[in-house]
Amino acid sequence: MTDHDAASEAQRQRAVDSLGLAPGGRHPRLDRITRLARLALSVPMAGVTVLEHDRAWFPSVQGMPGDPMPRRDTFCDAAMGQDETLVVRDAALLPRFADLPAVNEEGIRFYLGRTLRDPHGSPVATFCVLDTRPREVDDDDLEVFEDLAAWAERELVSSTEMSQARHVQASLLPSAPLRTGAWQVAGVCHPALSVGGDSSTTPSPTTSC
């Protein structure tokens, strides 16, 4: 790996860390997209893959095991960072992929994968669909796939931003009831949605002495 590649990977890893995701967590919004991808493209497998250091893990996966695995054993390692969708019509015919465990042991032949990026353009994950038989894809298939990938990217970024906003909001609230002299001031904040702001909260202050 060159110095430039190492610096790019370090920057990408910082972007991945900023997502605040953890292996094993449930991500229902991403699950809706991967389920729809299976139906829309008639494939048995779909997922969102995060490459973290030397491993890959899956915030959403359909039709295949979701256990973390070595990054080098994934198709997504090749797709990560590319500007275009990676299309593998028959992995068994391509030296780059033919020796992957997914090909030799699980019989994967077909793969579509696209990089998902954060708001700064850093690659943080991939969206992919897979099949155990070789396949061709037409322009309509690619358009549907890329629309779903764009949706997954928005959901991934949105969930991260909401998590950060909740953390910031929580840090602004007092950790204990306020006291001033003989008075104790207590209140409650009711967010209108996932995160409340000045215009979407309903404070209910009470005072006692």
Side-chain angles (χ1 to χ4, degrees):
M1 182 181 292
T2 66
D3 291 343
H4 175 73
D5 291 340
S8 296
E9 177 60 19
Q11 180 181 352
R12 192 196 68 79
Q13 185 57 53
R14 288 194 294 271
V16 170
D17 293 341
S18 72
L19 291 177
L21 300 176
R26 293 185 57 83
H27 302 278
R29 292 183 176 182
L30 291 177
D31 286 342
R32 294 189 191 101
I33 303 171
T34 50
R35 284 196 300 267
L36 181 58
R38 290 180 67 188
L39 294 172
L41 295 166
S42 298
V43 293
M45 292 163 277
V48 174
T49 308
V50 172
L51 301 182
E52 185 175 20
H53 300 296
D54 61 351
R55 69 171 180 166
W57 56 272
F58 309 94
S60 178
V61 64
Q62 307 291 334
M64 57 185 177
D67 298 327
M69 61 190 299
R71 172 178 174 172
R72 65 178 181 273
D73 290 345
T74 67
F75 288 92
C76 295
D77 192 30
M80 177 63 73
Q82 291 195 18
D83 292 328
E84 303 294 332
T85 295
L86 175 62
V87 182
V88 179
R89 293 173 175 82
D90 189 347
L93 302 180
L94 301 175
R96 184 176 188 179
F97 303 111
D99 291 331
L100 292 179
V103 178
N104 288 326
E105 299 171 13
E106 300 172 31
I108 301 298
R109 293 292 181 268
F110 172 78
Y111 172 89
L112 285 180
R114 187 168 184 84
T115 298
L116 307 182
R117 299 178 183 273
D118 71 4
H120 304 290
S122 297
V124 292
T126 60
F127 179 76
C128 64
V129 297
L130 307 94
D131 202 338
T132 54
R133 60 185 179 89
R135 292 181 56 149
E136 293 293 332
V137 290
D138 58 25
D139 291 342
D140 288 340
D141 291 332
L142 282 176
E143 185 175 8
V144 170
F145 174 80
E146 290 171 3
D147 283 347
L148 290 168
W151 182 13
E153 183 176 81
R154 289 194 299 271
E155 290 293 355
L156 191 65
V157 170
S158 174
S159 65
T160 300
E161 291 176 341
M162 292 298 286
S163 177
Q164 292 172 343
R166 282 192 292 268
H167 176 74
V168 170
Q169 185 183 50
S171 70
L172 297 175
L173 299 175
S175 58
L178 301 177
R179 294 180 179 275
T180 175
W183 292 87
Q184 175 178 303
V185 182
V188 62
C189 177
H190 296 290
L193 298 172
S194 297
V195 177
D198 288 343
S199 61
S200 60
T201 58
T202 306
S204 302
T206 59
T207 58
S208 62
C209 62

